Amino acid sequence: MVLDTEGSTAELIETGTHGSRLYVVRNEALERMLFDRNLIGAGFRRACLASSRHFAGHLADEYDPARTAELVILSKGLVYQLGDAVLRQSGHNLPLNLVATSRVAVSGASAHVEVPYAQIEAPADTLLIADTVASGATVIAAVGRYLETHALKRLYVLSYAGALRGARRIAAYCAARGVRPTFLFGLAAFGLGLNGFDLSFLHPETVTRRAYVERAARQFSGKAVSAVGWDFGSQVTAPGKYRRLCWLEAEVWGLHGSDCLAVAERPESWSGLVHERAAYAAALGPGWKRVIDAPDR
């Protein structure tokens, strides 16, 4: 692992008994992404590519390009632009496999994920996966589908925002199958909120620099707001949805009118937000369906 490269550092914070490793990566691109919840569209896409290039730089001496491929989890994995990042950073082509996953149920303790689609045409004994890690269920489902038809020796999980609990769950799954995992997380190994969505610098289980905790406390008025929102990648793939989810976050945390969620837009209906219901329904209480019909505050 290249620990220092082009203005980016990687710090080893945890090792497992079966060879797993968890690094926290720090650089300006990740700070721009995780400390600006109003960053959407082209600006967010550029920050993602810059962050992925840093990830690729840290992995430069880790794997054999001829024996490595990417496993993209649709659709959010596309936002990482990992193939482009690897090409720009090292000149290597990263062969591509695709899986689509669907969350059936989510909670702070677990999530149930199904894999309705897979196109695995570039088998390799080393895989790179780029995705948000919360409970770890999505990555486990994707890797499980891959293992149905191909062997795997090494797994690299790259996440701009990853939960410590999820990494440990993935590591245990890999250890039972003879796979050695390495995790690169952005700025922190986050604690996971009770709703299974929130990844906050202010969570008591988050492992990060004290300066980041203090910065998040100032930014969010001491509230444990997620660093990436409830549907990572929608900042690019569905900005309108992201704005509506930000409004619901502001409702939950009492932050309407705050600069930290300035892009928030009040939803006109619950249509299109059902996949994130676990993130807001319990927090808003039994009358959550009436929230968007209430008078403006």
Side-chain angles (χ1 to χ4, degrees), residues 17-179:
T17 56
H18 297 280
S20 67
R21 299 172 296 167
L22 172 57
Y23 293 85
V24 167
V25 177
R26 293 185 291 267
N27 53 64
E28 290 184 3
L30 284 167
E31 290 183 3
R32 185 163 64 253
M33 187 189 312
L34 296 180
F35 282 104
D36 187 356
R37 287 293 313 276
N38 298 313
L39 186 64
I40 60 176
F44 190 84
R45 188 185 294 272
R46 285 192 291 267
C48 287
L49 180 57
S51 299
S52 291
R53 287 193 65 178
H54 284 305
F55 280 157
H58 287 298
L59 293 178
D61 63 348
E62 279 281 315
Y63 61 85
D64 179 358
R67 304 176 66 87
T68 302
E70 183 181 4
L71 182 61
V72 174
I73 300 175
L74 297 171
S75 60
K76 306 310 178 187
L78 295 173
V79 179
Y80 281 74
Q81 306 158 80
L82 190 56
D84 192 13
V86 169
L87 181 63
R88 295 188 185 200
Q89 190 68 27
S90 66
H92 297 140
N93 177 61
L94 189 62
L96 185 68
N97 302 287
L98 302 171
V99 295
T101 62
S102 176
R103 292 190 301 253
V104 178
V106 182
S107 71
S110 64
H112 178 64
V113 175
E114 295 180 348
V115 181
Y117 169 81
Q119 179 179 307
I120 301 174
E121 298 179 344
D125 58 23
T126 299
L127 284 183
L128 274 60
I129 292 180
D131 196 35
T132 303
V133 174
S135 70
T138 297
V139 170
I140 287 173
V143 173
R145 176 63 183 83
Y146 182 87
L147 290 174
E148 289 178 8
T149 53
H150 300 290
L152 183 62
K153 294 181 180 179
R154 304 182 74 182
L155 174 68
Y156 291 91
V157 179
L158 317 178
S159 183
Y160 302 145
L164 182 59
R165 181 187 307 176
R168 289 171 175 169
R169 183 180 177 190
I170 295 167
Y173 175 87
C174 288
R177 290 155 182 82
V179 179

